[in-house]
Amino acid sequence: MYRLIRALGCVDHLEIVCPGVEAFLSRCARQNIPFWNVKKHDAVTLTLSAPDREARAIRDLCRRCGGQMRILRRTGAGARVRSLRRRGALLAGLLLFCALVRVASLHIWQMEVLGNESVSDARILEELKDLGVGIGTFTFAVDSEALSRGMLTRIPELSWFAVNVAGSKAQVLVRERVSKPELYDPAEPKMVVAEKSGVIERIITLAGTKRLDRGSTVLAGEVIVSGVVEPLPGGRELVHASAQVYARTWYELSAEMPLQTVTKRSTGRKKTRYGLIVAGKRINFSPSSGIAWPCYDKIIVEEPFRLTDSSVLPVTLCREIYTEYEPVQASVDEAAARQMLMRDLTDRLTGLTDGAEIRALDWQEQSAGGLLRVTLRAECLEQIAGERDMTPEEKSIAEAGTENE
């Protein structure tokens, strides 16, 4: 109970000078006057703490006992409020600040876009701004249904749109359209061509006329299976050619790395600049003169002021931390560099072959002039069949051949 009085009320810390301090304390107890922190300094002097509202009763009892009371100090929230009564401007400023915080919490100061992959955040936020919703917008002015209709019209790549406002934070939720799969038309004439150059090892023809056989060398783009089927009793026929073609392919990839590099060595010197970003406007607290150091790293830390997790004020504390360093020449471990280059080349080969069978690998390395160069030669077996439309010339030649027959 006393802790609550001390925190929220007004507490007087009193000095009592009285010839009968024990009688004084007994009278206070009989009249149910709360007091605590009693300290006796000598035979006639003691100090104690009591609620401010009991100060007059304690003073009267002290006088009846032939003593005097003196207020040493006042503490507690009530004492602070009383002190503000004498400072009207400070109290008015405090009330104005609370009002501004309340008004600011009714506006959007933070926006987050979720659910998008191909459509950028910047495009979504820009279109929202054109529709009247952005940083500083009054939260109760946000009409989610109207925004959904407008955004789906402006960005056809979206299939669903919603805005959820919690406090001063707006979550923009989107769902992108799923592109229609390319339809397979078995009646459309097609050619099977090589997507990569190589030596054919196996062909499985499903439709069309095979032009190349096992062991043939084929170049990228060359026709392997034609969509013109001949001869037929009624003449030629144009079909959608289809085949699986496995060929031996070869790759040669190279990567290099210098064996001398530049590293950073900290000098231990740091500088920090502070600033405030208020509703998008920056206020610098530190001088804006440039950094005299020739080499330094810069880290920017922004900490928005929050009332709660969802209530963000339009004020952000910005810290710019500058750390000086010296560039130092350092040698690179050749074995580690070799392993790094080999991993890079292996990843590149995997990306180019897309799960093909790798039959042989040959590594070569060369170190000269402070440069390490690694070369990878690989032999693979992979599916190289691709499709393309028949050109008008190919169609006309095939149709002309049919008419001549």
Side-chain angles (χ1 to χ4, degrees), residues 275-305:
L276 278 182
I277 302 176
V278 181
K281 303 294 184 180
R282 184 184 176 92
I283 303 173
N284 290 322
F285 296 154
S286 303
S288 58
S289 58
I291 301 297
W293 302 333
C295 301
Y296 59 88
D297 289 325
K298 178 180 178 181
I299 300 175
I300 299 177
V301 181
E302 293 185 354
E303 300 174 358
F305 288 85

Side-chain angles (χ1 to χ4, degrees), residues 74-258:
R74 284 186 171 134
T75 59
R80 295 188 182 93
V81 172
R82 288 186 181 183
S83 65
L84 290 177
R85 292 178 182 174
R86 307 186 191 96
R87 303 177 182 179
L90 181 60
L91 182 59
L94 179 61
L95 295 176
L96 178 61
F97 174 76
C98 293
L100 291 176
V101 169
R102 177 55 182 165
V103 172
S105 65
L106 298 177
H107 293 74
I108 295 174
W109 301 113
Q110 186 177 12
M111 302 185 72
E112 181 182 18
V113 182
L114 301 174
N116 57 317
E117 293 182 3
S118 59
V119 183
S120 66
D121 291 0
R123 181 182 176 189
I124 294 173
L125 295 177
E126 186 65 28
E127 295 294 346
L128 265 178
K129 187 176 181 180
D130 289 343
L131 291 174
V133 176
I135 300 298
T137 301
F138 188 54
T139 55
F140 294 102
V142 177
D143 187 345
S144 186
E145 293 185 3
L147 287 175
S148 177
R149 293 192 296 268
M151 290 295 290
L152 294 181
T153 302
R154 288 169 171 259
I155 307 180
E157 295 90 341
L158 300 181
S159 63
W160 182 78
F161 180 91
V163 178
N164 293 336
V165 179
S168 57
K169 181 179 180 180
Q171 275 193 341
V172 182
L173 308 176
V174 301
R175 186 176 300 157
E176 298 178 350
R177 293 185 183 276
V178 179
S179 58
K180 294 182 179 179
E182 186 177 350
L183 299 179
Y184 175 81
D185 186 2
E188 184 180 1
K190 294 279 188 178
M191 296 285 204
V192 175
V193 298
E195 292 185 337
K196 298 178 181 181
S197 301
V199 177
I200 297 175
E201 190 162 299
R202 186 167 73 253
I203 299 180
I204 303 174
T205 304
L206 304 176
T209 303
K210 183 170 62 174
R211 288 190 177 180
L212 299 176
D213 294 317
R214 182 177 183 275
S216 300
T217 300
V218 62
L219 299 177
E222 187 176 353
V223 176
I224 301 175
V225 179
S226 172
V228 180
V229 179
E230 56 181 348
L232 291 173
R236 297 178 178 178
E237 181 184 3
L238 303 181
V239 299
H240 190 129
S242 178
Q244 295 180 3
V245 182
Y246 295 89
R248 294 163 59 199
T249 56
W250 290 266
Y251 295 88
E252 182 174 332
L253 306 174
S254 297
E256 56 188 22
M257 177 183 292

Side-chain angles (χ1 to χ4, degrees), residues 321-380:
I321 304 171
Y322 300 85
T323 305
E324 185 188 27
Y325 68 86
E326 296 176 348
V328 179
Q329 290 287 338
S331 298
V332 178
D333 182 67
E334 188 169 341
R338 183 186 305 108
Q339 292 297 324
M340 187 181 300
L341 293 176
M342 292 176 68
R343 282 196 303 268
D344 178 61
L345 292 175
T346 302
D347 292 342
R348 286 167 55 187
L349 179 64
T350 302
L352 290 173
T353 56
D354 192 20
E357 178 187 348
I358 300 176
R359 290 187 165 180
L361 288 176
D362 178 48
W363 298 93
Q364 292 184 355
E365 63 178 83
Q366 180 182 6
S367 179
L371 197 68
L372 176 64
R373 181 182 182 88
V374 177
T375 301
L376 167 63
R377 293 183 178 88
E379 179 184 343
C380 305

